[in-house]
Amino acid sequence: MYIPNYDQAPFITIWEVTRACALKCLHCRAEAQYHRHPEELTTTEGYQLIDQIVEMGSPLLVFTGGDPLMREDIFDLMDYAIKKGLRVSMTPSATPKVTKNAMEISKKLGLARWAFSLDGSNAEIHDQFRGVSGSYDLTLQSFQYLRELEMPIQVNTTVSRYNIHDLENIAKKIEELGAELWSVFFLVPTGRGQIRDMISPVQHEEVFKWLFELNKTVPYDIKTTAAPHYRRYVLEQSIHDGSSAEKMQDHIGRAAGINDGKGFIFVSHTGEVYPSGFLPVVVGNIKEESLTSIYRNSPILKDLRNPDTYQGKCGTCSYREVCGGSRARAYAVTGNYLESDPFCIYKNE
């Protein structure tokens, strides 16, 4: 099996352009605020960051937050990145700032995808999760705009104990929406998210089984985030039934092995660099050192990219190259990003 070398450049760069946001999501890793931070990267610094991403060879850039639409220059940044040859996506919050006009502008600029979160199949579940009444209705309105503009629809869902019972209904809703992609996040207890909000290790495995079977029948693609052990599950099933491991590279080209700091890098609103948005360990700041240098030379990132440094059962697991366990979840629960993922039930035999 071919596994890309991510020592030189990540496959995807996430830039938290702001932490300003009108929502109060209970799982928010950013603990978003109502107002922009005075030390956010400026427009010029944003252009410089984009130049570094291009030079490093990272093909994908995602604008996230907070709410990216809280920045007045977001379309200037988008235009600059797209003209530089990057494939750009954005994950705004479903607020009144999401207008059809904003979507039309992004479509003209060449934005690859808008992604909105849907964490319940009805307003009661979704709005409780997002902390603001009316968020569900605004989310559905946003999807309607995308359909009218014939833009691809991506739905993000964070799996937690608050909506695990609703996943089947959410899956049906996503099909009704005509989505191309369902991005299923598995909650990592960081920021506002708490360990008590997570589903259990056994429930993780049960959801993996359900997603694996669902993927065979639904018209949209499914990808997981913060769940590298889903790759292990897919490989196990492929070995069991004698089929090929079709999910070792997903529809956006992510290959097996991507993990926090390995094929993935995160830049905060103030320029601090993290292995991911869910692993709050600072490895540098682009105001002081180039992103390329940080990504390639950080001792922490080098350890994260080397499965030989992993501890516990992750360090001896036969799937450690394609999975490796969630380094972010290991850190959140144990305080050690090299420790085993405590929410994986697999044991080497």
Side-chain angles (χ1 to χ4, degrees), residues 36 40 43 68-77 97:
R36 293 177 58 186
E40 277 181 7
T43 304
L69 291 175
M70 296 288 276
R71 283 192 65 134
E72 295 81 0
D73 62 353
I74 191 63
F75 293 113
D76 294 327
L77 294 167
K97 284 186 174 292

PDB file of all heavy atoms in Angstrom, residues 36 40 43 68-77 97:
ATOM      1  N   ARG A  36     -13.763  40.214  17.045  1.00  0.00           N
ATOM      2  CA  ARG A  36     -12.474  39.808  16.496  1.00  0.00           C
ATOM      3  C   ARG A  36     -11.339  40.177  17.444  1.00  0.00           C
ATOM      4  O   ARG A  36     -11.383  41.189  18.143  1.00  0.00           O
ATOM      5  CB  ARG A  36     -12.254  40.463  15.126  1.00  0.00           C
ATOM      6  CG  ARG A  36     -13.206  39.964  14.056  1.00  0.00           C
ATOM      7  CD  ARG A  36     -12.990  40.696  12.743  1.00  0.00           C
ATOM      8  NE  ARG A  36     -11.604  40.547  12.274  1.00  0.00           N
ATOM      9  CZ  ARG A  36     -11.119  41.181  11.217  1.00  0.00           C
ATOM     10  NH1 ARG A  36     -11.903  42.006  10.530  1.00  0.00           N
ATOM     11  NH2 ARG A  36      -9.872  41.001  10.857  1.00  0.00           N
ATOM     12  N   GLU A  40      -5.289  39.471  15.405  1.00  0.00           N
ATOM     13  CA  GLU A  40      -5.497  38.582  14.253  1.00  0.00           C
ATOM     14  C   GLU A  40      -4.499  38.912  13.144  1.00  0.00           C
ATOM     15  O   GLU A  40      -4.045  40.061  13.018  1.00  0.00           O
ATOM     16  CB  GLU A  40      -6.905  38.788  13.681  1.00  0.00           C
ATOM     17  CG  GLU A  40      -7.997  38.030  14.385  1.00  0.00           C
ATOM     18  CD  GLU A  40      -9.345  38.277  13.729  1.00  0.00           C
ATOM     19  OE1 GLU A  40      -9.402  38.929  12.668  1.00  0.00           O
ATOM     20  OE2 GLU A  40     -10.338  37.814  14.291  1.00  0.00           O
ATOM     21  N   THR A  43      -4.553  41.463   6.695  1.00  0.00           N
ATOM     22  CA  THR A  43      -4.717  41.043   5.306  1.00  0.00           C
ATOM     23  C   THR A  43      -3.362  40.759   4.675  1.00  0.00           C
ATOM     24  O   THR A  43      -3.169  39.729   4.006  1.00  0.00           O
ATOM     25  CB  THR A  43      -5.443  42.127   4.495  1.00  0.00           C
ATOM     26  OG1 THR A  43      -6.696  42.431   5.120  1.00  0.00           O
ATOM     27  CG2 THR A  43      -5.696  41.657   3.073  1.00  0.00           C
ATOM     28  N   PRO A  68     -15.615  32.707   9.385  1.00  0.00           N
ATOM     29  CA  PRO A  68     -14.810  33.453   8.420  1.00  0.00           C
ATOM     30  C   PRO A  68     -15.501  34.705   7.885  1.00  0.00           C
ATOM     31  O   PRO A  68     -14.833  35.685   7.535  1.00  0.00           O
ATOM     32  CB  PRO A  68     -14.564  32.441   7.302  1.00  0.00           C
ATOM     33  CG  PRO A  68     -14.649  31.114   7.978  1.00  0.00           C
ATOM     34  CD  PRO A  68     -15.711  31.282   9.025  1.00  0.00           C
ATOM     35  N   LEU A  69     -16.829  34.682   7.826  1.00  0.00           N
ATOM     36  CA  LEU A  69     -17.542  35.834   7.277  1.00  0.00           C
ATOM     37  C   LEU A  69     -17.519  37.041   8.217  1.00  0.00           C
ATOM     38  O   LEU A  69     -17.977  38.125   7.841  1.00  0.00           O
ATOM     39  CB  LEU A  69     -18.985  35.451   6.955  1.00  0.00           C
ATOM     40  CG  LEU A  69     -19.152  34.481   5.778  1.00  0.00           C
ATOM     41  CD1 LEU A  69     -20.611  34.087   5.625  1.00  0.00           C
ATOM     42  CD2 LEU A  69     -18.627  35.075   4.481  1.00  0.00           C
ATOM     43  N   MET A  70     -16.974  36.876   9.407  1.00  0.00           N
ATOM     44  CA  MET A  70     -16.801  38.010  10.314  1.00  0.00           C
ATOM     45  C   MET A  70     -15.615  38.879   9.899  1.00  0.00           C
ATOM     46  O   MET A  70     -15.435  39.977  10.425  1.00  0.00           O
ATOM     47  CB  MET A  70     -16.608  37.520  11.749  1.00  0.00           C
ATOM     48  CG  MET A  70     -17.804  36.785  12.335  1.00  0.00           C
ATOM     49  SD  MET A  70     -19.212  37.866  12.707  1.00  0.00           S
ATOM     50  CE  MET A  70     -18.751  38.486  14.324  1.00  0.00           C
ATOM     51  N   ARG A  71     -14.808  38.401   8.950  1.00  0.00           N
ATOM     52  CA  ARG A  71     -13.705  39.199   8.424  1.00  0.00           C
ATOM     53  C   ARG A  71     -14.161  39.910   7.158  1.00  0.00           C
ATOM     54  O   ARG A  71     -14.631  39.268   6.203  1.00  0.00           O
ATOM     55  CB  ARG A  71     -12.490  38.327   8.097  1.00  0.00           C
ATOM     56  CG  ARG A  71     -11.691  37.889   9.296  1.00  0.00           C
ATOM     57  CD  ARG A  71     -10.358  37.289   8.894  1.00  0.00           C
ATOM     58  NE  ARG A  71      -9.460  38.250   8.267  1.00  0.00           N
ATOM     59  CZ  ARG A  71      -8.170  38.392   8.567  1.00  0.00           C
ATOM     60  NH1 ARG A  71      -7.621  37.641   9.515  1.00  0.00           N
ATOM     61  NH2 ARG A  71      -7.414  39.271   7.933  1.00  0.00           N
ATOM     62  N   GLU A  72     -13.982  41.222   7.127  1.00  0.00           N
ATOM     63  CA  GLU A  72     -14.406  42.002   5.962  1.00  0.00           C
ATOM     64  C   GLU A  72     -13.565  41.690   4.723  1.00  0.00           C
ATOM     65  O   GLU A  72     -14.025  41.884   3.587  1.00  0.00           O
ATOM     66  CB  GLU A  72     -14.314  43.506   6.263  1.00  0.00           C
ATOM     67  CG  GLU A  72     -15.260  44.003   7.352  1.00  0.00           C
ATOM     68  CD  GLU A  72     -14.742  43.747   8.757  1.00  0.00           C
ATOM     69  OE1 GLU A  72     -13.632  43.180   8.898  1.00  0.00           O
ATOM     70  OE2 GLU A  72     -15.448  44.114   9.712  1.00  0.00           O
ATOM     71  N   ASP A  73     -12.355  41.180   4.934  1.00  0.00           N
ATOM     72  CA  ASP A  73     -11.459  40.929   3.808  1.00  0.00           C
ATOM     73  C   ASP A  73     -11.478  39.477   3.352  1.00  0.00           C
ATOM     74  O   ASP A  73     -10.617  39.061   2.568  1.00  0.00           O
ATOM     75  CB  ASP A  73     -10.023  41.328   4.179  1.00  0.00           C
ATOM     76  CG  ASP A  73      -9.469  40.518   5.358  1.00  0.00           C
ATOM     77  OD1 ASP A  73     -10.234  39.739   5.965  1.00  0.00           O
ATOM     78  OD2 ASP A  73      -8.269  40.676   5.666  1.00  0.00           O
ATOM     79  N   ILE A  74     -12.446  38.682   3.805  1.00  0.00           N
ATOM     80  CA  ILE A  74     -12.415  37.255   3.515  1.00  0.00           C
ATOM     81  C   ILE A  74     -12.444  36.967   2.017  1.00  0.00           C
ATOM     82  O   ILE A  74     -11.775  36.046   1.537  1.00  0.00           O
ATOM     83  CB  ILE A  74     -13.566  36.511   4.240  1.00  0.00           C
ATOM     84  CG1 ILE A  74     -13.372  35.005   4.146  1.00  0.00           C
ATOM     85  CG2 ILE A  74     -14.919  36.939   3.707  1.00  0.00           C
ATOM     86  CD1 ILE A  74     -12.128  34.493   4.817  1.00  0.00           C
ATOM     87  N   PHE A  75     -13.176  37.760   1.242  1.00  0.00           N
ATOM     88  CA  PHE A  75     -13.241  37.503  -0.197  1.00  0.00           C
ATOM     89  C   PHE A  75     -11.949  37.933  -0.897  1.00  0.00           C
ATOM     90  O   PHE A  75     -11.569  37.350  -1.909  1.00  0.00           O
ATOM     91  CB  PHE A  75     -14.465  38.179  -0.806  1.00  0.00           C
ATOM     92  CG  PHE A  75     -15.763  37.586  -0.334  1.00  0.00           C
ATOM     93  CD1 PHE A  75     -16.634  38.318   0.461  1.00  0.00           C
ATOM     94  CD2 PHE A  75     -16.103  36.281  -0.652  1.00  0.00           C
ATOM     95  CE1 PHE A  75     -17.820  37.767   0.915  1.00  0.00           C
ATOM     96  CE2 PHE A  75     -17.285  35.715  -0.203  1.00  0.00           C
ATOM     97  CZ  PHE A  75     -18.146  36.456   0.593  1.00  0.00           C
ATOM     98  N   ASP A  76     -11.268  38.942  -0.354  1.00  0.00           N
ATOM     99  CA  ASP A  76      -9.962  39.319  -0.887  1.00  0.00           C
ATOM    100  C   ASP A  76      -8.961  38.186  -0.656  1.00  0.00           C
ATOM    101  O   ASP A  76      -8.169  37.840  -1.543  1.00  0.00           O
ATOM    102  CB  ASP A  76      -9.453  40.601  -0.217  1.00  0.00           C
ATOM    103  CG  ASP A  76     -10.297  41.811  -0.541  1.00  0.00           C
ATOM    104  OD1 ASP A  76     -10.831  41.879  -1.670  1.00  0.00           O
ATOM    105  OD2 ASP A  76     -10.435  42.693   0.326  1.00  0.00           O
ATOM    106  N   LEU A  77      -8.989  37.609   0.542  1.00  0.00           N
ATOM    107  CA  LEU A  77      -8.100  36.494   0.858  1.00  0.00           C
ATOM    108  C   LEU A  77      -8.427  35.282  -0.010  1.00  0.00           C
ATOM    109  O   LEU A  77      -7.529  34.594  -0.509  1.00  0.00           O
ATOM    110  CB  LEU A  77      -8.228  36.136   2.340  1.00  0.00           C
ATOM    111  CG  LEU A  77      -7.750  37.203   3.334  1.00  0.00           C
ATOM    112  CD1 LEU A  77      -8.220  36.864   4.741  1.00  0.00           C
ATOM    113  CD2 LEU A  77      -6.220  37.326   3.302  1.00  0.00           C
ATOM    114  N   LYS A  97     -25.184  36.466   8.204  1.00  0.00           N
ATOM    115  CA  LYS A  97     -24.115  36.873   7.287  1.00  0.00           C
ATOM    116  C   LYS A  97     -24.035  35.967   6.061  1.00  0.00           C
ATOM    117  O   LYS A  97     -23.434  36.333   5.057  1.00  0.00           O
ATOM    118  CB  LYS A  97     -22.773  36.898   8.016  1.00  0.00           C
ATOM    119  CG  LYS A  97     -22.592  38.101   8.932  1.00  0.00           C
ATOM    120  CD  LYS A  97     -21.186  38.141   9.495  1.00  0.00           C
ATOM    121  CE  LYS A  97     -20.968  39.422  10.286  1.00  0.00           C
ATOM    122  NZ  LYS A  97     -20.965  40.625   9.430  1.00  0.00           N
TER     123      LYS A  97
END
